[in-house]
Amino acid sequence: MARYIGKRLIYMVITLALIATFTFFLMKILPGSPIASADKLSPEQRAVVEARYGLDEPLPVQYFDYMFGLLKGDLGISINQFKGANVTDLIISRMGPSAQIGFQGMVLGTILGILLGMIAALRQNSWIDYSSTLVAIIGISIPSFVFASLLQYWFGLKLEWFPVALWKDGFMSSVLPSIALAMFPLATAARFIRTEMIEVLGSDYITLAKAKGASGSEIAFKHAIRNALIPLITVLGPMAVGILTGSLVVEQIFAIPGIGEQFVKSIMVNDFSIIMGTTIFFSVFLIIVILIVDILYGVIDPRIRLSGGKN
Amino acid sequence: MKNSKLFWLLSLVLVLSAFLAACGGGDDDKAETPETDGDDKAAGEEPAGEPDAEQVLNLMEGAEIPTMDSSLAEDAVAFNIMNNVNEGLFRLNQENVAEPALAEAEPEVSEDGLTYTFKLRDAKWSNGEPVTANDFVFSWQRAIDPATGSPYGPYMMAGTIKNAEAIAAGEMDKAELGVKAVDEKTLEVTLERPTPYFMSLMAFGTFYPLNEAFVTEKGDAYASNSDNLLYNGPFMLTNWDGTGLTWSMEKNPEYWDAETVKLETINVDVVKETSTAINLYTSGEKDRTGLSGEFAMQYAEDPEVVRELEPTVFYLKFNQERNGEQTPLANVNIRKAISMAFNKQDLVDVVLANGSLPANYLVPTEFTFDENNADFREVNGDMNEFNAEEAKKFWATGMEELGLTEVTLEMLGGDSELAKKMDEYMKSQLEENLEGLTLELKAVPFGVRLELDEAQDYDIQNSGWGPDYQDPMTFIDLFVTGSAQNKMSYSNEEFDTLVDQAKGELAQDLAGRWEAMAKAEQILIEEDAAIAPIYQRGLMSLQKPYVHDIISHPFGGDYSYKWAYISGK
């Protein structure tokens, strides 16, 4: 197992280096200048400002400078969004709120999704089943910014149960954004669990449990759900991606000082070091999630061990 | 069938109730922190009375503060805050006229108009140290020093302050800049040429003083957060961590005119989404919000709407030479035809609907005034107004001269929803009124538009300009031959001469200079139709009735809160 993880870690570093390289060069193709007042400056003045941020160097030099910095954990300094601010510090200071709403959304969404999927499977083809399918369809097809706006309007502005926006009231501020983010994992989990549960419920050992006289809830919670849960791990990765992309807009709508909204803005204004920093941060996050999913998978179901069956 | 409909309805109800149930927990907490009660608010709609005991203003910004270093600032948010926490020799007053601020009085000007001697008043930095003439010398030298990499320093100083251009190019030492501290309280500024609008420049952030000892001591950490800054304006920035979405401004007790300042605290949060900003405004958490895009139309009739006219003008640039070849736009009749062939009133009323005005001019209205306070616009009035019949005649003449019956032109524009809507409208208007014209729209991001403009790779471009100082020249000299903004091969000797005269020999003859600039504008728009003005941008905001006297400015910082107060909240 340790060997497997070690191997995976090496692959991770290679993946990251590739992502950083691609992003770096793609970003340099982006049209426009990172200088906000570029339209007013003469080319000579622009060159002076660009020199201040090392943008006058040839591209390969900039690239190797950046990669060496990256090795030392230095993500560079922001060019125009926060002139001179250290990107590593920026990401660290913005990580908290993003992590909090992302985690809460994921947990809430997964738990509700599992419950919904279970109920749907147990009452197959009943109105409960259909409405859970409806929720799942809504959750997948309606983008999170629509949910976020609706939640904000009704539960923030009209009912005044939660803050309309801003990150000032601790946990209360995180409730609506978390719910908005929860919709995607909720829908995904509900659909998945329903299918798995139906399959499991039809299997022999459930029939045996029934024959032994186990009650309905005992069957559902003790026997069926355990096996139905295993495949859910495979969708944890996509769910994490969903939360991540959702956070880009949800953070903006609730005016949360997170990383997601920074990411979008940095691309719009060509703030190279922030584009790189946030991309690398998101990549690390996703790669780690995928690694954890793979490891968990091997742990839970020995039949599909990835390391080639040496353990 | 009926049953299944009922079923869907039922499920929908279920979904909604699931939502309600999930959120139920928070109900009690919130009830304990109620909003201020409604009775007080009703009273707020009365006309302005005495200021309230509590003077707190809650505002929003659309973006973070990129920097608070006045030498590096180049954006609206930074300049706006600087205008409220710092001060230069002059400040724009409630009527948008530059008046002495850190300067004790109007400066002494030498006969040739090249040397200005300012006496400084007894003002202090927020750490108690006096503001001295050296603070200006240090700041200006820092802004022009190529090592600083200031975008606005060279832009504002070159050609105006003596030797600025050479220093920015690295050909001269920064100590040669035309600014000297005669003594602690006397500042002498030497100009390259007489500059009638020099006082308004002194209200601009780039020319603010900096405390040398403080800046040097902080080094790289200078301006990295609100503690690493010094203030000499009406307010002090607080609670700003350098990258955060929230900050405050507190009244500055050391400010020389502190007794005028009524507000104690201004709380600012960055909200980038207009709908969120409006919700926060409606909920009473915020006292003012901008209305962008479709929201302007939606709230146009709201009694709390405030309308401002910005001095930003949008126009079509006609490129006369593309890839070394003359375009049909090199023909003056074609240009005139296009400039008169679209209904600007309908455009601002229906398409933009944000309080913008149709522009039949380049220099905006309510922007510059002569010594008798008459608007520059009164000289030339409207030019090339919408007139489909005239346009058709010019078009027919032009097409005949070119020997064409059909012409296809590319129109370059922005990629925002509003810009696209506007360009669609222009296309339909122009194609309807000008027979044989086909417009191909090309919507690109701002950065790409700049690149295409620089390469002169377009036919028509929907472009705009906002002022850098309070003088018609900030618009007019954009179009002299070879100017960086004139990437459209427009060249008119008479126009160039008039601009030269206004900048040179007429600089001290205010009336003559005014006339020369007006004549130049008339040549540009009416005679040559080098550009076709479209509209002057308006801005709509919602503001609570208890907020009074937030002053908006045409350039530099957008707003002053120095005179603002809360009454009847």
Side-chain angles (χ1 to χ4, degrees), chain A residues 1-132:
Chain A
M1 195 64 172
R3 214 183 123 190
Y4 169 65
I5 294 176
K7 212 161 121 191
R8 284 296 301 264
L9 284 175
I10 293 170
Y11 283 139
M12 268 173 69
V13 174
I14 297 173
T15 315
L16 266 181
L18 285 175
I19 290 175
T21 306
F22 277 121
T23 315
F24 187 89
F25 288 104
L26 281 176
M27 172 182 87
K28 292 289 178 183
I29 306 174
L30 274 180
S33 156
I35 303 169
S37 53
D39 59 330
K40 303 205 159 180
L41 302 188
S42 70
E44 298 80 46
Q45 286 167 27
R46 231 178 291 165
V48 170
V49 179
E50 282 174 358
R52 186 171 187 270
Y53 298 98
L55 299 172
D56 54 338
E57 304 275 356
L59 210 50
V61 177
Q62 289 187 42
Y63 170 71
F64 285 110
D65 277 354
Y66 189 85
M67 294 306 271
F68 277 121
L70 199 57
L71 278 179
K72 290 182 281 179
D74 175 12
L75 294 174
I77 56 169
S78 163
I79 301 169
N80 59 20
Q81 285 191 86
F82 309 100
K83 286 172 193 286
N86 187 312
V87 176
T88 318
D89 294 346
L90 173 72
I91 290 181
I92 290 170
S93 74
R94 293 289 182 103
M95 222 164 70
S98 291
Q100 189 184 343
I101 60 168
F103 179 75
Q104 287 175 187
M106 187 86 169
V107 170
L108 179 75
T110 316
I111 291 176
L112 286 182
I114 291 173
L115 287 177
L116 210 61
M118 271 177 70
I119 297 169
L122 292 171
R123 301 274 176 275
Q124 209 182 335
N125 296 328
S126 71
W127 63 272
I128 297 180
D129 185 17
Y130 290 128
S131 38
S132 121

Side-chain angles (χ1 to χ4, degrees), chain A residues 35-41 45 49 83, chain B residues 69-76 79 143-144 149-158 201 204-207 465-469 555-556:
Chain A
I35 303 169
S37 53
D39 59 330
K40 303 205 159 180
L41 302 188
Q45 286 167 27
V49 179
K83 286 172 193 286
Chain B
D69 186 331
S70 57
S71 309
L72 296 181
E74 53 181 331
D75 72 292
F79 282 128
I144 197 70
S150 162
Y152 259 82
Y155 181 67
M156 299 300 282
M157 291 185 196
L201 274 186
F204 196 80
T206 314
F207 293 99
W465 191 257
D468 294 307
Y469 47 87
F555 81 106

Side-chain angles (χ1 to χ4, degrees), chain B residues 66-122:
Chain B
T67 180
M68 277 298 290
D69 186 331
S70 57
S71 309
L72 296 181
E74 53 181 331
D75 72 292
V77 178
F79 282 128
N80 187 36
I81 296 166
M82 278 178 202
N83 182 46
N84 289 291
V85 300
N86 284 312
E87 194 162 86
L89 292 166
F90 275 63
R91 166 181 287 281
L92 292 189
N93 67 8
Q94 294 106 306
E95 276 77 47
N96 283 319
V97 176
E99 62 175 21
L102 288 184
E104 202 170 45
E106 297 284 337
E108 252 177 61
V109 187
S110 67
E111 208 147 290
D112 57 5
L114 291 177
T115 311
Y116 283 64
T117 312
F118 294 92
K119 282 277 174 205
L120 302 186
R121 73 169 75 240
D122 286 319

Side-chain angles (χ1 to χ4, degrees), chain B residues 22 41 44 60 77 95 211 335 360 395 430 465 484 497 562:
Chain B
K41 273 185 189 160
M60 290 177 273
V77 178
E95 276 77 47
N211 184 313
R335 295 200 302 271
N360 299 303
W395 183 253
L430 294 177
W465 191 257
T497 312
K562 178 178 171 178

Side-chain angles (χ1 to χ4, degrees), chain B residues 553-568:
Chain B
H553 299 306
F555 81 106
D558 288 338
Y559 297 100
S560 276
Y561 310 116
K562 178 178 171 178
W563 298 278
Y565 63 98
I566 305 289
S567 173

Side-chain angles (χ1 to χ4, degrees), chain B residues 362-531:
Chain B
L362 172 64
V363 178
T365 186
E366 289 177 34
F367 169 54
T368 46
F369 310 90
D370 67 9
E371 58 276 25
N372 305 317
N373 251 343
D375 195 314
F376 180 77
R377 280 271 44 86
E378 285 172 24
V379 190
N380 277 337
D382 285 335
M383 293 170 287
N384 291 16
E385 287 167 87
F386 167 60
N387 186 333
E389 291 316 306
E390 280 293 306
K392 280 176 185 152
K393 281 184 209 157
F394 280 123
W395 183 253
T397 319
M399 291 295 268
E400 207 182 298
E401 282 165 7
L402 292 172
L404 295 171
T405 49
E406 275 181 6
V407 61
T408 302
L409 295 171
E410 178 192 84
M411 185 155 109
L412 191 60
D415 65 345
S416 73
E417 280 308 308
L418 195 67
K420 284 186 196 161
K421 249 167 69 182
M422 177 164 66
D423 290 342
E424 290 287 344
Y425 174 84
M426 300 292 281
K427 177 180 160 78
S428 75
Q429 284 277 304
L430 294 177
E431 287 182 352
E432 185 187 314
N433 290 326
L434 305 175
E435 209 189 318
L437 172 69
T438 310
L439 269 189
E440 281 171 1
L441 299 182
K442 185 167 172 182
V444 296
F446 184 63
V448 179
R449 189 156 66 73
L450 285 186
E451 282 178 2
L452 291 170
D453 180 72
E454 201 139 301
Q456 216 169 314
D457 192 7
Y458 65 94
D459 294 326
I460 301 178
Q461 182 184 165
N462 196 335
S463 183
W465 191 257
D468 294 307
Y469 47 87
Q470 200 170 11
D471 190 79
M473 193 55 86
T474 187
F475 286 93
I476 290 172
D477 78 353
L478 298 176
F479 300 102
V480 295
T481 307
S483 136
Q485 296 298 323
N486 182 4
K487 290 283 166 48
M488 52 186 204
S489 295
Y490 169 68
S491 178
N492 181 318
E493 226 169 280
E494 196 189 350
F495 176 84
D496 291 351
T497 312
L498 284 164
V499 172
D500 276 350
Q501 284 173 344
K503 284 185 171 182
E505 66 248 39
L506 290 174
Q508 284 178 289
D509 167 13
L510 293 184
R513 179 173 179 273
W514 212 245
E515 241 170 69
M517 290 192 294
K519 177 71 187 150
E521 188 196 34
Q522 194 221 339
I523 292 173
L524 182 80
I525 308 284
E526 201 166 63
E527 285 180 20
D528 287 346
I531 55 167

